[in-house]
């Protein structure tokens, strides 16, 4: 897996409103340590992996990206606050 990039060029933002068990705007807590609260910003299929993924904007800087993965902007947040989850 390539490292997530903070630069996305002119890639289109891709976002769906609902998915299995999660919807954009839901408040969530990560299951891995440290447990961090966040808000679901993306639910849908991605280019980086198969299946349906959830993108979370974390409340603290414990994330991996800014909502951009491999040049595609799935949602927007501050760098280090975005976290993909499956």
């Amino acid at each position: 897996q390539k490292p997530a990039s903070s630069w996305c060029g002119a890639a289109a933002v891709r976002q769906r409103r609902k998915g299995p068990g999660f919807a954009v705007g839901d408040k969530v807590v990560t299951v891995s340590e440290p447990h961090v609260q966040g808000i679901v910003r993306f639910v849908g299929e991605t280019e980086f992996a198969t299946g349906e993924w959830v993108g979370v904007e974390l409340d603290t800087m414990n994330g991996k990206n800014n909502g951009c993965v491999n040049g595609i902007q799935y949602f927007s947040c501050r760098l280090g606050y975005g976290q993909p989850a499956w």
Side-chain angles (χ1 to χ4, degrees):
Q1 178 180 352
K2 292 192 239 176
S5 170
S6 62
W7 179 81
C8 288
V13 173
R14 298 177 183 199
Q15 183 167 317
R16 287 180 40 191
R17 293 308 252 167
K18 294 187 179 195
F22 295 99
V24 172
D26 285 353
K27 293 187 178 202
V28 295
V29 176
T30 60
V31 293
S32 59
E33 295 284 341
H35 300 294
V36 179
Q37 294 183 354
I39 298 175
V40 174
R41 298 293 187 200
F42 170 85
V43 178
E45 295 180 1
T46 67
E47 298 291 325
F48 61 84
T50 59
E52 196 141 279
W53 285 72
V54 175
V56 178
E57 178 181 4
L58 301 174
D59 290 349
T60 59
M61 193 176 182
N62 290 84
K64 296 184 175 188
N65 57 46
N66 66 347
C68 179
V69 179
N70 297 335
I72 297 174
Q73 189 79 45
Y74 293 96
F75 64 96
S76 294
C77 67
R78 293 174 288 174
L79 185 59
Y81 286 77
Q83 180 70 41
W86 58 96

